């Protein structure tokens, strides 16, 4: 674990191990990042209706954070990518649709 921790600190110097994957992070604190921009995300589960919502995504290290706007001070959620498979979502009838899925958790579209 010590070697892994050292790699993370070298790869992502602006974030500590305590904040990697944490939603209590602002868009500003994630700069510089690998990629950012607007995507449509399928939201809703349980009691809320499933619908498409526009979200601001930031890729930092191995985490994909999503926010309502680029000015938000807290992320709505985070997807830790190494634990997910990424694939084309042919079941979704939207252009360039993809999914992040894992057998033991929800699928993100």
């Amino acid at each position: 674990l010590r070697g892994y921790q050292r790699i993370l600190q070298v790869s992502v110097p602006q974030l500590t191990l305590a904040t990697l994957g944490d939603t209590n992070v602002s868009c500003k604190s994630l700069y510089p990042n690998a990629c950012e921009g607007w995507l449509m995300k399928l939201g809703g589960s349980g009691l809320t209706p499933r619908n498409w919502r526009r979200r601001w995504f930031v890729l930092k290290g191995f985490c994909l954070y999503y926010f309502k706007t680029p000015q938000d001070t807290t992320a709505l959620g985070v997807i830790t990518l190494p634990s997910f498979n990424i694939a084309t979502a042919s079941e979704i009838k939207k252009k360039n649709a993809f999914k992040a899925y894992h057998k033991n958790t929800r699928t993100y579209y």
Side-chain angles (χ1 to χ4, degrees), residues 29-46:
S29 69
L30 296 174
Y31 290 106
N33 56 56
C35 191
E36 63 183 4
W38 292 105
L39 292 172
M40 297 298 288
K41 179 185 166 297
L42 185 59
S45 62

Side-chain angles (χ1 to χ4, degrees), residues 79 81 84-87 98-102 106-109:
I79 303 168
L81 295 174
F84 282 84
N85 296 303
I86 309 297
F98 66 93
K99 62 185 172 184
Y101 64 96
H102 186 281
R106 68 176 280 191
T107 298
Y108 292 91
Y109 292 97

Side-chain angles (χ1 to χ4, degrees), residues 4-108:
Y4 186 67
Q5 181 178 8
R6 191 168 144 222
I7 290 169
L8 285 176
Q9 288 172 341
V10 170
S11 302
V12 190
Q14 286 77 20
L15 297 176
T16 65
L17 284 176
T19 59
L20 274 172
D22 186 7
T23 58
N24 192 20
V25 59
S26 70
C27 280
K28 272 187 180 178
S29 69
L30 296 174
Y31 290 106
N33 56 56
C35 191
E36 63 183 4
W38 292 105
L39 292 172
M40 297 298 288
K41 179 185 166 297
L42 185 59
S45 62
L47 300 175
T48 60
R50 293 178 57 84
N51 55 8
W52 291 96
R53 297 188 179 150
R54 187 175 182 229
R55 297 291 184 234
W56 182 259
F57 280 81
V58 177
L59 178 62
K60 178 72 173 190
F62 55 82
C63 294
L64 185 60
Y65 297 87
Y66 55 97
F67 302 83
K68 265 191 179 176
T69 71
Q71 294 79 31
D72 284 355
T73 57
T74 304
L76 293 174
V78 62
I79 303 168
T80 308
L81 295 174
S83 61
F84 282 84
N85 296 303
I86 309 297
T88 301
S90 56
E91 65 272 23
I92 301 296
K93 303 300 179 213
K94 286 195 171 282
K95 187 178 178 181
N96 302 320
F98 66 93
K99 62 185 172 184
Y101 64 96
H102 186 281
K103 66 178 182 174
N104 295 327
T105 188
R106 68 176 280 191
T107 298
Y108 292 91

